[in-house]
Amino acid sequence: MKIDMYDVAIIGGGPAGSTAATLLARAGRRVIVLEREKFPRFHIGESLLPFSMKAFTRMDLLEKFNQAGFLKKYGGEFFSACCDKGVKFYFKDAYRSQTDHSYQVTRGDFDKLLLDHARENGAEVHEQTAVEGVDFANEHVDLSVANRGNVKARYLIDASGRNSILGNKFKIKKTYDHLKKLSIFGHYNGVTRAEGIDGTLTGLIRGIDRWFWIIPLTPERTSIGVVLDSDTFKRSKQTPEDFLEEAIREQPILAKRMQNARRVSEVYVASDFSYRSTKLYGDRWVMAGDAAGFIDPIFSSGVFLAVFSGELAADALHEVLAQPRMAKKLFPRYEKKVNRAMDVYLRFVDAWYTKEFIEIFSAPREFLNLPPAVNAVLGGNIGNSFGVRWRMSVFYFLVWLQRHYPICPRLTLVPKKEGSPASVKAVGAVS
């Protein structure tokens, strides 16, 4: 290690760690990033939200995104499994929209781009470097690093992901038992798409006990996945490959689009247990990204929350490094902002897993300008605007009302049986 004492040590080089590292290094701080894996590495979470665009612009990343060929994403489309037609939303129509697009990305390439960008901006980055222990002294943090000895820093950002170093150390991880979900997914070529910007939309299909995603990644490749209770998959006693193919075959919307599709990756399985840490800061540390918490993947909030918390953590620490006494004010403020963002998505997710959510969403009305407010939250607006907050409260009231007094058509969420859909061709993963 080149420096005896760093200003900030960051565990984890994913979007949260890379964002914090770039901003702190640009501010003149001495930063070290310790990442246990070698990038690029496969990761799920391929759809970005437009409210991250300000942070990406601040870090001068947009030109690199375009050079990398990341697909611009202009919105999304929701389907109920019992209907052929979906409801589209475009980011440009969101309440007080500030951009008309975000990006669809292959996470291996995206995460490597962010980590390399942090390195180029002055952060010291070490890949394949695992942190084995963390101790807190009066004036600094001691990190025990595999094959490298000890690293000392004035402050620590834990951005180590779901296997949070500090979350395990302090036993502060709280799991939401009602959101123990499982994702089964793969990448496919040859999936039929709409023309123009509609071909970039993220598609979500809501079934009675599961939901599907359709995420265009490149002009040829599409990510297809199903999310359901982990117990449902266990009871099936099927392999992930067989389960995914059967789930696709039973869903006419997907089967029709995938008549000529072939799988070009292995089938992946990921536990999507939602959780959060009960404390996000201490005397010399803050938690960011998935280490702070993970809320169900339905609304693509993972990367958004990672970049959001990484930016907030960097800004708070930059001030605290200059005036250490400010930690008593800035760290609680940081925790409050990140928790508020996770609260917004937790409430949205809880509503999504009721049948009434998709019934209300599938029958949009321009009542009180509600669709643009829902669109804004789908794009990453975490409700700082009073105009969004009160409209979302009305939306949730309508979801509750629909449960007791139907104000729009009921949906079965059960796919229609229309003969035997074509099966999806599956091939081995490409190199």
Side-chain angles (χ1 to χ4, degrees):
M1 300 299 178
K2 297 178 181 178
I3 302 172
D4 293 332
M5 178 71 74
Y6 294 87
D7 289 322
V8 181
I10 301 174
I11 307 175
S18 294
T19 296
T22 294
L23 294 174
L24 283 166
R26 283 187 161 199
R29 301 303 181 182
R30 298 181 297 179
V31 183
I32 184 169
V33 180
L34 304 167
E35 166 56 50
R36 67 178 180 179
E37 297 187 49
K38 175 68 177 176
F39 283 23
R41 47 86 168 104
F42 180 83
H43 204 285
I44 193 59
E46 301 147 326
S47 199
L48 308 184
L49 300 186
F51 262 71
S52 295
M53 295 292 281
K54 274 189 174 180
F56 296 145
T57 300
R58 178 182 176 187
M59 291 186 284
D60 295 322
L61 282 165
L62 297 188
E63 183 177 348
K64 289 187 176 182
F65 287 178
N66 292 328
Q67 290 174 350
F70 294 149
L71 189 69
K72 287 185 177 180
K73 163 191 171 184
Y74 292 89
E77 185 171 17
F78 281 14
F79 296 87
S80 57
C82 55
C83 303
D84 295 330
K85 293 184 179 180
V87 178
K88 296 183 177 71
F89 64 91
Y90 301 97
F91 296 138
K92 67 179 179 62
D93 298 326
Y95 184 82
R96 295 182 178 176
S97 172
Q98 298 178 357
T99 180
D100 67 345
H101 72 278
S102 60
Y103 291 89
Q104 311 278 26
V105 299
T106 50
R107 276 294 298 281
D109 296 333
F110 173 78
D111 288 3
K112 178 173 170 51
L113 189 155
L114 261 61
L115 187 60
D116 288 345
H117 190 68
R119 183 185 285 114
E120 291 167 10
N121 277 273
E124 186 178 327
V125 176
H126 296 268
E127 298 177 68
Q128 296 178 297
T129 304
V131 174
E132 298 178 331
V134 178
D135 290 306
F136 295 93
N138 290 333
E139 300 295 331
H140 65 273
V141 185
D142 283 321
L143 295 92
S144 176
V145 181
N147 303 320
R148 290 183 180 271
N150 292 330
V151 172
K152 297 182 185 297
R154 294 172 65 187
Y155 293 93
L156 173 68
I157 297 176
D158 181 2
S160 58
R162 300 187 188 190
N163 297 318
S164 167
I165 297 287
L166 296 185
N168 290 326
K169 178 181 177 68
F170 297 128
K171 295 180 171 50
I172 53 176
K173 192 173 180 180
K174 172 189 174 184
T175 300
Y176 292 102
D177 291 337
H178 68 295
L179 292 175
K180 289 187 176 180
K181 304 295 181 179
L182 192 78
S183 295
I184 306 172
F185 55 96
H187 291 174
Y188 296 80
N189 284 351
V191 178
T192 300
R193 294 182 191 169
E195 297 293 329
I197 65 172
D198 283 0
T200 75
L201 306 183
T202 292
L204 299 174
I205 304 171
R206 178 71 163 84
I208 193 69
D209 67 343
R210 64 196 63 184
W211 61 270
F212 299 82
W213 76 67
I214 310 167
I215 301 177
L217 297 178
T218 71
E220 299 81 24
R221 184 165 296 195
T222 303
S223 176
I224 304 287
V226 59
V227 179
L228 67 163
D229 288 342
S230 56
D231 288 343
T232 302
F233 172 65
K234 291 177 183 177
R235 288 195 300 268
S236 76
K237 297 182 179 180
Q238 291 180 291
T239 65
E241 292 79 7
D242 289 343
F243 189 96
L244 181 59
E245 185 169 348
E246 182 177 303
I248 291 171
R249 190 166 55 241
E250 292 176 346
Q251 180 50 252
I253 297 170
L254 273 175
K256 183 178 180 181
R257 292 191 184 195
M258 299 181 68
Q259 289 180 0
N260 299 312
R262 64 187 186 97
R263 180 162 53 83
V264 291
S265 76
E266 64 181 279
V267 171
Y268 300 95
V269 179
S271 295
D272 289 329
F273 291 7
S274 296
Y275 62 87
R276 65 206 291 181
S277 295
T278 57
K279 190 168 182 59
L280 303 185
Y281 74 93
D283 183 37
R284 292 195 169 271
W285 57 270
V286 296
M287 304 178 79
D290 283 355
F294 173 80
I295 307 299
D296 193 276
I298 173 61
F299 299 118
S300 302
S301 61
V303 174
F304 165 74
L305 290 173
V307 173
F308 175 76
S309 59
E311 183 178 21
L312 287 178
D315 289 344
L317 281 171
H318 179 55
E319 288 193 54
V320 170
L321 283 162
Q323 302 180 64
R325 291 183 180 179
M326 290 292 290
K328 292 182 179 180
K329 176 181 179 180
L330 296 178
F331 284 3
R333 182 185 296 174
Y334 167 81
E335 181 181 71
K336 182 178 180 179
K337 288 182 178 179
V338 174
N339 274 328
R340 183 172 60 192
M342 287 193 283
D343 285 341
V344 168
Y345 280 103
L346 183 62
R347 189 177 187 188
F348 215 18
V349 165
D350 283 340
W352 165 259
Y353 282 110
T354 68
K355 190 162 68 76
E356 292 77 23
F357 179 100
I358 196 66
E359 289 171 346
I360 293 292
F361 195 92
S362 298
R365 303 169 185 171
E366 292 303 320
F367 175 63
L368 297 178
N369 214 21
L370 293 185
V374 177
N375 187 344
V377 176
L378 288 169
N381 187 323
I382 56 170
N384 289 329
S385 163
F386 176 72
V388 172
R389 288 203 308 272
W390 76 258
R391 286 177 173 86
M392 288 305 299
S393 295
V394 173
F395 174 77
Y396 291 128
F397 171 73
L398 294 177
V399 171
W400 175 87
L401 193 64
Q402 173 72 5
R403 187 176 310 148
H404 302 281
Y405 308 100
I407 56 177
C408 61
R410 295 289 196 189
L411 299 173
T412 66
L413 303 186
V414 177
K416 296 177 182 178
K417 301 294 183 182
E418 299 180 1
S420 177
S423 64
V424 179
K425 302 171 188 176
V427 299
V430 295
S431 58

